[in-house]
Amino acid sequence: MDAITFEHVDVVFGNRAGQKAALDLIDQGADRSKVLEETGAVVGVRDATLCIDEGEICVLMGLSGSGKSSLLRCVNGLNTVSRGKVLIADSGGTVDVASCDAATLRRLRTDRIAMVFQQFALMPWRTIRENVGLGLELRGLSRTERDRLVDEKLALVRLDQWADKHPHELSGGMQQRVGLARALATDADILLMDEPFSALDPLIREHLQEELLDLQRSLKKTIVFVSHDLDEALKIGTHIAIMEGGRIVQYGRPEEIVTQPANDYVRAFVGKVNPLNVLCAVSLMRPARDGEDIDRERAVGLDTPMRELVALARDRGGTFPVLDGSGTVLGMIGEHEIYDGLLRRRSGDAL
Ligand SMILES: Nc1ncnc2c1ncn2[C@@H]1O[C@H](COP(=O)(O)OP(=O)(O)OP(=O)(O)O)[C@@H](O)[C@H]1O
Ligand SMILES: [Mg+2]
């Protein structure tokens, strides 16, 4: 079931008259710079349509200024939607964040949607426990009840020993885990994460990505995650929406993005990722040749990761049949297919 649906969302920043003029220009097909020049309004997002399933991690990826934060912030009403709908599944029906009343928006923000920011956004004068408990305090929970929930979440992010410290006593990675604990404390089922790990060192960052994936296996939240790094997007996203100039130019599963980039912009990102981390047998295989010897003892599954196939090829040499669940041979993988994968070529064509 869809947890969040964006329907033809435009976000335009500017005064009322500027916004109206900008939307008219957008409808005439004007680009961002023309809209800015003629109306003074800035186009953050244009015509974004996207369905995010419950329990999915959808990554919004793109260059700086492509509209990722603008789109994300529509979900909790931090940005005003100029046109279109942002539907959130709510008690059997849906609520349109773009047009709901203030009380409904407030309820969604305290009960259903939590956000993790890039720059932690912790209050320096509050202890870690008090920072994490902020949302619960706003909800009016008693101190004992709050502390119980907070300590549980601090344990989840392995910071239970740090509850009485202040933010400046923690490293960046630890502060970001506090931000995550604060978002988890409210039990919101939708998490918005705007480049939560971008300010951190690469190793810490990878570590937190893995922690988030680990947590998600049991929490099963619906997560919208903004990143400008395709490697990060491929690692944590169940789906990826690639944004360029305010538009969603491609939406798909990680493997689709890598094997079938929609345009040169996506291709440029894809060119920089490590194929060993993303490709698997189904996108590397070639059709079996007539009369080709098929040794079922050497068969691999459709979703065998490329890293594993490279190790197999190194240790055993030769070709490997790729089988589906019912045992049908779907293709073959040998040294050449692995080289093509490393060079990101398919059927002899550079991708
Ligand atoms: N509050 C605002 N007021 C005016 N213009 C804004 C506002 N927020 C964003 N914009 C504009 O909207 C466009 C998209 O910005 P946005 O912050 O969504 O990009 P982004 O993809 O998140 O970039 P980054 O990776 O740098 O965070 C930019 O041109 C920006 O100047
Ligand atoms: Mg941003």
Side-chain angles (χ1 to χ4, degrees), residues 110-317:
T110 42
D111 295 354
R112 299 283 316 282
I113 306 171
M115 186 150 175
V116 182
F117 300 88
Q118 176 174 356
Q119 290 302 341
F120 323 140
L122 302 178
M123 296 182 174
W125 60 89
R126 285 179 157 240
T127 64
I128 299 307
R129 183 181 282 118
E130 289 164 351
N131 264 288
V132 174
L134 186 63
L136 302 173
E137 209 173 304
L138 295 176
R139 265 195 212 167
L141 262 66
S142 75
R143 173 153 208 144
T144 345
E145 183 64 359
R146 245 167 32 218
D147 285 356
R148 188 183 63 78
L149 290 169
V150 166
D151 289 353
E152 191 183 294
K153 299 309 186 248
L154 281 175
L156 269 186
V157 300
R158 294 183 294 108
L159 284 178
D160 29 340
Q161 292 183 314
W162 297 78
D164 297 316
K165 302 276 186 236
H166 284 82
H168 72 271
E169 297 173 276
L170 274 62
S171 71
M174 291 160 88
Q175 290 187 50
Q176 195 49 285
R177 301 219 300 271
V178 177
L180 183 58
R182 180 180 52 191
L184 297 177
T186 60
D187 266 333
D189 57 324
I190 296 176
L191 280 190
L192 307 179
M193 306 184 79
D194 196 348
E195 307 222 27
F197 307 144
S198 299
L200 307 170
D201 295 336
L203 281 179
I204 308 282
R205 186 172 173 176
E206 274 187 34
H207 191 71
L208 285 182
Q209 290 164 353
E210 272 145 31
E211 277 188 1
L212 177 67
L213 288 174
D214 257 0
L215 279 173
Q216 171 68 353
R217 272 187 271 280
S218 53
L219 296 175
K220 300 191 170 63
K221 309 263 183 198
T222 303
I223 302 179
V224 192
F225 188 108
V226 167
S227 177
H228 60 254
D229 174 0
L230 187 56
D231 274 306
E232 178 170 76
L234 294 167
K235 180 166 176 185
I236 72 160
T238 50
H239 286 82
I240 301 173
I242 304 213
M243 299 195 64
E244 178 185 17
R247 293 176 203 271
I248 296 172
V249 292
Q250 186 168 10
Y251 170 76
R253 293 192 170 274
E255 180 130 346
E256 277 170 56
I257 305 280
V258 175
T259 55
Q260 300 153 45
N263 64 13
D264 285 344
Y265 174 82
V266 184
R267 213 165 281 128
F269 278 109
V270 169
K272 292 192 176 55
V273 304
N274 183 350
L276 286 178
N277 293 337
V278 284
L279 296 184
C280 56
V282 68
S283 54
L284 291 169
M285 67 190 187
R286 59 161 172 80
R289 302 191 178 104
D290 279 348
E292 186 168 2
D293 181 32
I294 289 169
D295 180 356
R296 285 177 177 267
E297 300 269 289
R298 295 166 56 88
V300 295
L302 282 174
D303 51 6
T304 311
M306 180 167 185
R307 198 175 282 281
E308 217 169 286
L309 294 165
V310 170
L312 272 175
R314 176 202 174 277
D315 292 344
R316 303 177 60 187

Side-chain angles (χ1 to χ4, degrees), residues 13-14 32 42-45 62-71 79 118 194-195 226 228:
F13 299 102
R32 257 181 170 180
V42 178
V43 179
V45 177
L63 289 180
S64 181
S66 57
K68 308 178 294 291
S69 301
S70 300
L71 185 60
N79 273 353
Q118 176 174 356
D194 196 348
E195 307 222 27
V226 167
H228 60 254

